[in-house]
Amino acid sequence: MAALTTTTGPQHASVLGVGAYRPLRVVPNSDVVDAIDSSDEWIQQRSGIKTRRWAGPDESVQMMSVQASRIAIERAGLEPGQIDCVVVATVSHLLQTPAVATAIAHELGTDAAAFDISAACSGFCHGIALASDIVRAGSSRYVLVVGVERLTDILDLTDRGTAFIFADGAGAAVVGPSETAGIGPVVWGSDGEQFDLIRQREDWRDVVGSPEKPGSGVMPHLTMQGNPVFRWASFAMAKIGQQALDAAGITLDDLDVFVPHQANMRIIDAMARSMKLPPTVRIARDVADQGNTSAASVPLALDRMMAEGEARSGDTALLIAFGAGLSYAAQVITVP
Ligand SMILES: CC(C)(COP(=O)(O)OP(=O)(O)OC[C@H]1O[C@@H](n2cnc3c(N)ncnc32)[C@H](O)[C@@H]1OP(=O)(O)O)[C@@H](O)C(=O)NCCC(=O)NCCS
């Protein structure tokens, strides 16, 4: 048996730059309440959402990704041609194949390895974990991780459980080699027993149909059983956050910033309470005027905190994302 050559990369990886793209259209609760027989007061009280961003016809998954990526690459001090791997987390690129990552890489001007991952709302944190390992294994030097969604394409605007929650946008981060460890170990997992809690309503074959059984002909929208998801996220995820701190070898006192998935303000508050976060930890609350953008929510929230000076370069931040699957991933990073 021949012994194979393998690669090893730099000892450490870090997030080098972050970028974001928010669709131009701001949609207040008053624009969604009629179709779901709801009210601004109910939505704010149950979710904390006041407005959300919905993409217009020109704001495609690819377009939003490229805009966010260009900013992240520039902030990392790199040229697009230096990116040698592109990982895109999304559930709303509506072509089964090929991956949108290849088109994004091409438009950016790189022939990088490029592939999509499907881990719903936890996709971005999965992507950061992969990128850190890819860099440290020497498979690529600079990995672009994009979280992007155009969830309005797969939303039923008359569904009371989802129409007011979900939204559109893109966030990106560049991961590359660094002198010290800037990305802690990932704590990730899944609970497939709860596969049906958040899901595409039906599979494409049921839409198209067969000679024996006519298809629905209707876009299979996103459905969610909000209450069990709420309970799971509020309690189980706080433990995962603590495990990510432990894995990185830090305590709550070392933490500056908490960037949880922007699912719902009540979940964010419940997690912060369960984790006993000290009042000095600054908490991302982007959901209030961005809505829940699934894979894009963590980088969008982080980008906003950096822009507003709430997350500063060198700060220690806990990222945690969770959603359909059910799947989750969390890690500690150093803010670039
Ligand atoms: C969706 C969510 C806000 C609903 O809140 P809830 O407290 O669980 O609401 P329920 O479904 O139990 O319904 C409570 C009541 O509000 C009503 N209701 C449901 N949706 C409503 C809406 N959009 N507007 C007004 N009333 C609504 C129900 O009819 C019910 O009325 P009743 O008490 O008279 O029977 C909440 O479950 C949630 O945020 N879940 C997590 C969702 C999430 O963040 N998912 C993303 C993870 S990736």
Side-chain angles (χ1 to χ4, degrees), residues 36-38 42 46 121 160-161 164-165 198 224 226-227 229-230 261 263-264 267 292 322-323:
I36 54 173
D37 185 21
S38 188
W42 191 94
R46 298 289 174 127
C121 299
R160 299 181 98 199
F164 66 95
I165 292 179
I198 312 173
M224 176 169 67
N227 213 283
V229 174
F230 185 91
H261 170 45
N264 176 316
I267 295 177
N292 176 341
F322 46 85

Side-chain angles (χ1 to χ4, degrees), residues 84-299:
D84 50 0
C85 183
V86 177
V87 180
V88 177
T90 186
V91 296
S92 48
H93 164 57
L94 296 183
L95 276 186
Q96 203 88 43
T97 193
V100 72
T102 62
I104 293 167
H106 179 69
E107 193 176 338
L108 287 170
T110 167
D111 56 4
F115 56 95
D116 295 356
I117 55 175
S118 176
C121 299
S122 60
F124 181 78
C125 290
H126 279 74
I128 292 292
L130 288 179
S132 173
D133 290 354
I134 288 168
V135 168
R136 291 181 303 122
S139 305
S140 292
R141 188 162 174 81
Y142 295 113
V143 182
L144 173 69
V145 180
V146 180
V148 57
E149 302 292 0
R150 237 182 93 96
L151 292 171
T152 44
D153 284 337
I154 53 170
L155 262 193
D156 175 354
L157 297 181
T158 64
D159 178 357
R160 299 181 98 199
T162 55
F164 66 95
I165 292 179
F166 292 110
D168 305 328
V174 175
V175 173
S178 59
E179 293 289 311
T180 54
I183 301 174
V186 67
V187 175
W188 54 1
S190 65
D191 180 1
E193 198 180 344
Q194 309 205 66
F195 184 85
D196 288 327
L197 289 190
I198 312 173
R199 60 166 294 164
Q200 179 175 318
R201 189 166 47 201
E202 56 190 343
D203 107 16
W204 293 107
R205 285 166 300 194
D206 299 325
V207 174
V208 176
S210 62
E212 299 78 41
K213 192 171 169 236
S216 68
V218 175
M219 173 72 95
H221 291 112
L222 199 57
T223 62
M224 176 169 67
Q225 297 176 41
N227 213 283
V229 174
F230 185 91
R231 279 184 270 119
W232 171 78
S234 298
F235 302 107
M237 288 303 98
K239 294 193 189 93
I240 301 303
Q242 183 58 51
Q243 286 172 25
L245 298 183
D246 296 344
I250 67 165
T251 68
L252 283 173
D253 292 334
D254 301 311
L255 195 61
D256 302 301
V257 179
F258 179 46
V259 191
H261 170 45
Q262 301 292 294
N264 176 316
M265 198 69 85
R266 284 161 61 217
I267 295 177
I268 295 170
D269 288 335
M271 285 177 68
R273 272 195 309 275
S274 297
M275 287 190 69
K276 299 188 171 53
L277 292 187
T280 47
V281 175
R282 297 177 294 279
I283 301 174
R285 297 187 182 283
D286 194 42
V287 68
D289 49 28
Q290 175 65 50
N292 176 341
T293 53
S294 190
S297 94
V298 166

